[in-house]
Amino acid sequence: MPTNIIERDYASDWLKREADSLYSRDQGILLIGQGVVKSGTVLGRVTASGKLKVRTLAAADGSQNVAGILLDTVDTTNGDERVVFIARDAIVAHQGLTRGSDVDTAAERATENAALAALGILVREGA
């Protein structure tokens, strides 16, 4: 009987270019209680604590504003987790990104892409 192999998500699935000397990367704390957050997830930053969480349109704590894209998959089930994320100067592939559950129309994705572009993160189709 064949064994099923499940591959995890890799940054190379969506990150196509970043600046030299790790300039594109930043560190932060991903907030507890979000379960497993996949590489390529668009993040927002909570204004009061400065911690990161999955960006959703419905948020009212500051995390509705784009802060960057999570580099590696992490599990926040049992506590806050220190993470690295792409915060600036990069090119990413649209199809590799994971967006908040309420970012589901082309217009909402375009708005989020524009917010990423303001950080210097360019979203490309098939990059």
Side-chain angles (χ1 to χ4, degrees):
M1 181 169 208
T3 302
N4 290 333
I5 298 174
I6 300 172
E7 276 197 65
R8 54 173 248 170
D9 298 305
Y10 295 99
S12 61
D13 293 340
W14 56 271
L15 181 60
K16 301 307 174 186
R17 182 205 161 273
E18 65 177 311
D20 294 337
S21 301
L22 306 178
Y23 174 76
S24 300
R25 299 179 184 200
D26 209 345
Q27 294 182 23
I29 303 294
L30 194 58
L31 202 58
I32 186 174
Q34 300 177 85
V36 175
V37 183
K38 294 172 43 173
S39 175
T41 298
V42 179
L43 303 173
R45 186 182 306 275
V46 177
T47 304
S49 66
K51 294 181 180 179
L52 302 164
K53 63 190 257 189
V54 176
R55 180 199 179 257
T56 60
L57 298 173
D61 58 4
S63 66
Q64 69 274 18
N65 301 313
V66 173
I69 304 171
L70 184 64
L71 193 62
D72 292 313
T73 299
V74 65
D75 187 354
T76 63
T77 302
N78 297 318
D80 292 349
E81 292 289 333
R82 179 170 292 283
V83 296
V84 175
F85 64 102
I86 299 299
R88 66 190 71 80
D89 196 17
I91 298 174
V92 300
H94 163 78
Q95 63 273 19
L97 297 181
T98 300
R99 300 172 190 268
S101 59
D102 61 353
V103 181
D104 52 11
T105 68
E108 290 166 347
R109 287 189 296 276
T111 300
E112 189 167 85
N113 291 349
L116 286 165
L119 299 174
I121 301 171
L122 303 178
V123 179
R124 298 287 187 241
E125 291 284 334

